[in-house]
Amino acid sequence: MEFQEMKEYIIEQALSKQLISATISQPRAKSNEIKRVKLKPIEIKNMYHIQIEYQYERVLKHENIPIENFAESLEKLFDQYRQMHADFITEKVQVQLSKKNKVMWKSEKTASSKTVNLSHNRKKNYLLDEDTPYPFLIRLGVQTAEGKVKKQKYDKFKQINRFVEFIDDALAYLPKGKPVRILDFGSGKSYLTFALYHYLKIEKGIDIRVTGLDLKKEVIEECAMIANDLGYDQLEFLVGDINDYNDETTVDMVVTLHACDVATDMALARAVKWGASVILSVPCCQHELNAQLNAPGLDIMLKHGLIKERFAALATDSIRAEILNLVGYEAQLVEFIDMENTPKNILIRAYRNGKKPTAEQFEKYNHFKQMLNANPFLENELKDYL
């Protein structure tokens, strides 16, 4: 079977709604961060779609494609990968492609026709189950006393679970054989601080000591009382500013959520200086670069205040991530579900790997910074590490 003939056959099977499931693997390029792709048909609002699940090393992302648009997506996947296992209603197919697209094809007819499950609205498998009572969620008003998620708190419940997913992803990077020290700057009402403590201490049995730090005295007092009521004896809450907290020499994980403007940079810089293995940061308002921007080539964009604000925020987080890459971290910008449903839903995730940056990395960073006329606060804070 020729390459084009194979593609046309697979596409025809998919478009005729014969697909049950498929796995596409073996990226052609080593630089491809998506290691595996899974396909399955689903029904959304009575419309047939193919769901594409992109499997990164530690993250899954989904895209739902209407059936009429699926051929183009599948064509692109065959250009990027060399292997496919597909399960259709009446046959199983295995495809292996050489570097020059020579096709090795294996097909096996099934004894009886299978059925396709188009269910999309099945209950999501959250790390914190929505039907299980959790004392901290009950105490924080997310669940009822019976352990049911309150309807008006469901967005918070989803956000908490999304954050727990990030914590679970980070487990491999936390030190073993010693207590894990964790600091949460700008902890606020501490929904996520309590979730972090519960997941690591109660569910995973890890020896941790967690400190939540915030400037609002009444909020800190309330959180401290809840921690005491729950018996969370390795969780403390303190009133204080990020810049003034000097009680540690080494910290394993630093969390910072919605710290305004350069307060996020202060927390990131402090995390690097402590040698934190894991950094999770959701930035808030970002004014520094907005005031510095001077890029004539971007005037068509930046003359609009709204666009300038959003561009500055995205560029700021890109700069932060790149600086972390330059000082020995693997940093990514990932989507985060925000409790307040605002556009500020980017999370900076960084794992310490100790790698030395290349000259090319520095050159690209400096070129980007100079193009924007940026003088990043975080770079100045970490100048001794760059």
Side-chain angles (χ1 to χ4, degrees), residues 54-201:
Y54 302 99
Q55 299 187 357
Y56 294 78
E57 187 175 348
R58 290 180 294 274
V59 178
L60 299 179
K61 292 186 178 180
H62 297 86
E63 182 180 16
N64 299 321
I65 307 293
I67 187 67
E68 61 268 19
N69 300 332
F70 180 65
E72 182 180 353
S73 298
L74 193 56
E75 287 265 9
K76 290 179 181 177
L77 289 172
F78 277 123
D79 289 339
Q80 297 170 12
Y81 296 88
R82 296 173 52 199
Q83 181 171 283
M84 179 181 196
H85 294 268
D87 194 3
F88 298 111
I89 290 176
T90 59
E91 70 175 321
K92 291 184 177 180
V93 170
Q94 181 175 341
V95 178
Q96 183 72 46
L97 302 173
S98 70
K99 289 183 179 179
K100 295 184 178 180
N101 284 335
K102 182 179 179 180
V103 179
M104 288 175 280
W105 172 276
K106 183 178 179 181
S107 174
E108 177 186 346
K109 297 294 182 181
T110 55
S112 59
S113 295
K114 300 180 181 180
T115 57
V116 180
N117 181 7
L118 296 178
S119 172
H120 180 57
N121 296 318
R122 292 170 299 187
K123 191 170 114 178
K124 180 171 170 62
N125 292 321
Y126 290 118
L127 289 173
L128 300 181
D129 184 70
E130 59 184 282
D131 293 324
T132 299
Y134 296 99
F136 81 97
L137 290 179
I138 295 172
R139 188 70 170 78
L140 293 170
V142 177
Q143 287 182 320
T144 66
E146 294 76 30
K148 299 296 182 183
V149 178
K150 296 179 181 178
K151 186 176 181 180
Q152 67 272 29
K153 297 290 185 180
Y154 203 80
D155 283 344
K156 285 186 181 179
F157 177 76
K158 288 196 296 183
Q159 186 211 35
I160 289 168
N161 260 291
R162 179 66 170 142
F163 182 70
V164 170
E165 288 175 7
F166 289 126
I167 298 299
D168 187 68
D169 290 340
L171 288 177
Y173 297 87
L174 296 177
K176 310 293 188 292
K178 78 176 191 71
V180 177
R181 186 71 177 102
I182 301 172
L183 291 178
D184 182 353
F185 289 124
S187 55
K189 294 182 180 179
S190 300
Y191 291 98
L192 305 185
T193 319
F194 282 108
L196 178 154
Y197 187 91
H198 168 85
Y199 189 71
L200 292 180
K201 179 75 172 178

Side-chain angles (χ1 to χ4, degrees), residues 229-240:
D229 293 346
L230 294 171
Y232 288 1
D233 54 1
Q234 294 299 306
L235 172 59
E236 65 176 354
F237 291 93
L238 304 175
V239 178

Side-chain angles (χ1 to χ4, degrees), residues 216-313:
K216 297 174 183 175
K217 184 173 182 292
E218 64 280 5
V219 173
I220 286 296
E221 289 175 348
E222 173 71 14
C223 292
M225 182 174 66
I226 294 173
N228 182 67
D229 293 346
L230 294 171
Y232 288 1
D233 54 1
Q234 294 299 306
L235 172 59
E236 65 176 354
F237 291 93
L238 304 175
V239 178
D241 182 86
I242 292 172
N243 238 15
D244 297 331
Y245 189 81
N246 299 302
D247 293 354
E248 309 290 335
T249 55
T250 302
V251 174
D252 301 305
M253 177 189 287
V254 172
V255 177
T256 167
L257 301 167
H258 300 139
C260 282
D261 201 20
V262 296
T264 290
D265 300 291
M266 293 176 189
L268 294 177
R270 188 61 63 88
V272 171
K273 292 173 183 178
W274 278 323
S277 301
V278 177
I279 301 171
L280 298 175
S281 175
V282 179
C284 190
C285 53
Q286 298 155 336
H287 304 306
E288 182 196 25
L289 182 57
N290 197 322
Q292 296 174 357
L293 274 175
N294 181 15
L298 300 177
D299 280 349
I300 289 177
M301 287 177 59
L302 303 184
K303 68 181 179 180
H304 305 285
L306 174 65
I307 300 300
K308 182 180 180 182
E309 180 184 356
R310 292 182 181 178
F311 175 84

